[in-house]
């Protein structure tokens, strides 16, 4: 085998269909475009979703909201969950181990819901203004890493 004798396998390549080359070709005259109308003309076509002037489907249907893709990485816990936890130092790993937040969670926020009466130290866990005040009133602290 030499470089000048290499060719594709039989049947691998086929000639491109040539339109508008006379009656005998089977695709002469209108060249497979039919008769008249926008689609038969050179350069004439419509935009995506165009329905001949009728209100397009994507505009007839109502708009629906937005679901954040980062939502699954954020978690919330309340003060009563912290009250029930054993131990004084609480971080994201502790919360994952106890099953209070999902394993996927990257950031955790404590919200002001329920009450806390024991001292806890939050490390790497964010708290809302009200929750932070409640934790500090109970003698605890919030250390944001």
């Amino acid at each position: 085998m030499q470089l000048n004798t290499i060719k594709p396998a039989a049947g691998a390549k086929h000639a491109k269909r040539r339109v508008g080359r006379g009656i005998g070709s089977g695709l002469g005259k209108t060249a497979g475009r039919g008769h008249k109308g926008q689609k038969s003309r050179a350069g004439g076509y419509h935009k995506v979703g165009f329905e001949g002037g009728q209100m397009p489907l994507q505009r007839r249907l109502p708009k629906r909201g937005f679901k954040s893709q980062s939502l699954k990485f954020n978690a919330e816990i309340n003060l009563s969950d912290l009250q029930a936890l054993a131990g004084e130092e609480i971080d994201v790993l502790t919360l994952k181990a106890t099953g209070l937040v999902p394993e996927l969670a990257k950031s955790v926020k404590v919200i002001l819901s329920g009450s806390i009466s024991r001292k806890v130290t939050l490390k790497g866990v964010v708290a809302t203004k009200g929750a932070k005040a409640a934790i500090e009133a109970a003698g605890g602290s919030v250390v944001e890493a």
Side-chain angles (χ1 to χ4, degrees), residues 79 110-118 120 128-142:
L79 290 174
V110 180
I111 57 172
L112 180 62
S113 174
S115 60
I116 190 162
S117 56
R118 66 187 198 88
V120 289
T128 61
K129 195 163 42 173
K132 190 173 182 178
I135 290 166
E136 288 167 352
S141 63
V142 178

Side-chain angles (χ1 to χ4, degrees), residues 7-68:
K7 59 183 182 182
K13 305 276 266 180
H14 52 87
K16 189 172 180 283
R17 178 170 287 156
R18 298 184 73 208
V19 297
R21 291 294 182 275
I23 298 168
S25 71
L27 283 171
K29 195 185 170 209
T30 56
R33 286 172 170 259
H35 292 279
K36 296 186 183 174
Q38 192 175 20
K39 290 202 269 185
S40 73
R41 319 226 187 263
Y45 215 62
H46 57 78
K47 59 187 175 192
V48 176
F50 184 70
E51 296 182 17
Q54 171 177 298
M55 187 61 71
L57 184 67
Q58 77 270 21
R59 289 193 57 202
R60 271 179 285 171
L61 298 175
K63 289 198 277 188
R64 290 293 303 263
F66 164 80
K67 188 169 183 186
S68 172

